[in-house]
Amino acid sequence: MLLAGDIGGTKTLLGLFDPLPARPRPVATASFGTLAFPDLPTMIAGFLDAHRVAGRTVEAACFGVAGPVLGEAAELTNVPWRVDARHVSTVFDIRRVALLNDLEALGHAVPVLTEAEVHVLQAGEALRGGNMALIAAGTGLGEALLHNVGGRFLPSASEGGHADFAARTERDIAVLRALTARFGRVDVERVVSGHGLLNLHPVLHKDRCAAGVDLEAPDAAARISAAAVARTCAGCIETLDEFIEAYGAEAGNLALRAKATGGVYVGGGIAPKILAALEAGPFMRAFRAKPPLDELVAGVPVKVILNPDAGLLGAAVFAGQLNG
Ligand SMILES: [Zn+2]
C-alpha cells in the first residue's frame, strides 16, 4: 500500500492508497488539525492504528509539505514541525519515503484529474508537447511548473509567489504604492492570497467597511469574499475585484513564463469558493491581456481544481512512482 500526506499549516490529510497503475485508489483518508499533534510520526501512528489493513504493509510514502523542502527534511511555515523523511522511514519501516513541496505534490495529481474534478474557465486547446502550470492562492500563493518531457509531465516547485507584484492598472498602482509604504517590497503573494485580501481591504475602502469585517478575526478573508459576493459593502466588492484581476493577471504571467500551452490549473482553497466571481470575466480578461501574445494565452486551457483532496492524491501518485 501507499501512504500519502498533505501537510498544511492548519490542516493535514493522511491517506492509505492501493497502488493502481493509472491512479492510486484511496482505501482510507482522514483529516487532522496539524497543531493538535507534536509531530508527524505521532499523527501517522494514530492514523495507521485506526486504518491499517491486516496483512498489508506500506511500501512507499510521500508527503506534500507547506514549506521549503531541503534534502530529506522540511521546516513547515507557521507550524513548529520539522518533517524528516528518513525518520519516518525508520520509525514505520517504510522502504521509500519522499517529501515534496505541497504545490509539487499537487502537480503530480494534475495529469490524473478527471473532468468532474475541474471547472473549465477557458476551454482553449492544449497543444501537444506543451508544458502545464499550476497556481494556487490559499493562505499564501504557490506556483509550480509541469515540464512536458516526451509526453510525461514533471512537476517542479517554484517560489514564484514571492516574485514582484506587477502593477498594470491605476488601481494596481495605488495598491502598489500603499503596500510598498507598508512592507517595503510587494511580492505578488502580498496581493494574491488570503493574506492579500486582508492587505487590500484597508487600501480599497474609502469609507468604513459596511460589512463590519474585523481584519484580526481568523475568518476575515472569507468574510471579505462573502461580503463582496453578497454585495453588502462597496469596499469589499472593490477588494475582491482587485484580488480576482491580479490573480488572473498573475496566472497569465505564469502561462507566459512556463509557456504553458498545455494548460494552466488554478488550485488552492480560495478559487472553488469564489467560482461564480472567477467566471464573471475579469479573471480571464486579465489572464488574456498579454499583447503581443494575447492569441497564445487565449488558446491555453484554464481549469479550477475542485477536488479538495487533490494534493493528497498527488502525493499518492508520487509514492506510487517511488514504488514502481
Ligand atoms: Zn467592506
Side-chain angles (χ1 to χ4, degrees), residues 51 95 132 134 153 178 209 220 274:
H51 299 288
R95 208 155 43 92
M132 297 198 288
L134 182 57
F153 289 98
C209 179
I274 57 164

Side-chain angles (χ1 to χ4, degrees), residues 169-176 204 238 241-243 245:
T169 64
E170 287 302 324
R171 187 170 65 189
D172 284 349
I173 291 166
V175 164
L176 181 64
L204 296 173
E238 195 77 3
D241 281 354
E242 173 65 11
F243 168 87
E245 261 190 37

Side-chain angles (χ1 to χ4, degrees), residues 198-321:
L198 307 186
N199 294 336
L200 292 172
H201 187 271
V203 181
L204 296 173
H205 276 71
K206 289 184 192 73
D207 306 308
R208 195 180 61 84
C209 179
V213 172
D214 170 11
L215 293 179
E216 302 297 321
D219 62 346
R223 279 175 173 271
I224 294 168
S225 305
V229 170
R231 306 196 81 74
T232 51
C233 171
C236 286
I237 292 172
E238 195 77 3
T239 301
L240 188 65
D241 281 354
E242 173 65 11
F243 168 87
I244 285 172
E245 261 190 37
Y247 200 174
E250 177 63 12
N253 288 335
L254 178 61
L256 292 175
R257 291 191 176 111
K259 198 175 171 220
T261 51
V264 169
Y265 284 75
V266 182
I270 296 177
K273 294 191 192 109
I274 57 164
L275 211 48
L278 290 179
E279 283 254 88
F283 182 92
M284 286 312 308
R285 268 202 298 280
F287 181 92
R288 286 190 294 257
K290 306 291 184 196
L293 290 178
D294 35 358
E295 258 182 61
L296 184 145
V297 287
V300 172
V302 181
K303 299 173 187 178
V304 175
I305 298 173
L306 301 176
N307 179 351
D309 294 348
L312 183 69
L313 172 65
V317 168
F318 191 75
Q321 290 171 7

Side-chain angles (χ1 to χ4, degrees), residues 85-241:
R86 266 179 294 190
H87 185 60
V88 171
S89 167
T90 309
V91 172
F92 298 99
D93 195 22
I94 303 172
R95 208 155 43 92
R96 296 196 167 94
V97 180
L99 299 182
L100 298 178
N101 164 275
D102 54 350
L103 257 273
E104 204 179 345
L106 184 57
H108 282 281
V110 164
V112 303
L113 289 175
T114 64
E115 274 178 39
E117 291 171 301
V118 297
H119 178 89
V120 176
L121 289 178
Q122 170 167 285
E125 194 175 343
L127 297 188
R128 266 166 71 105
N131 297 327
M132 297 198 288
L134 182 57
I135 184 165
T139 311
L141 178 68
E143 297 184 0
L145 276 62
L146 282 83
H147 300 279
N148 187 326
V149 181
R152 270 195 67 194
F153 289 98
L154 290 183
S156 69
S158 89
E159 290 296 343
H162 297 292
D164 298 315
F165 169 57
R168 311 168 307 127
T169 64
E170 287 302 324
R171 187 170 65 189
D172 284 349
I173 291 166
V175 164
L176 181 64
R177 279 216 178 89
L179 297 188
T180 303
R182 183 170 163 196
F183 298 114
R185 172 180 174 247
V186 184
D187 62 19
V188 63
E189 183 177 281
R190 294 280 194 201
V191 178
V192 183
S193 67
H195 284 303
L197 281 167
L198 307 186
N199 294 336
L200 292 172
H201 187 271
V203 181
L204 296 173
H205 276 71
K206 289 184 192 73
D207 306 308
R208 195 180 61 84
C209 179
V213 172
D214 170 11
L215 293 179
E216 302 297 321
D219 62 346
R223 279 175 173 271
I224 294 168
S225 305
V229 170
R231 306 196 81 74
T232 51
C233 171
C236 286
I237 292 172
E238 195 77 3
T239 301
L240 188 65
D241 281 354

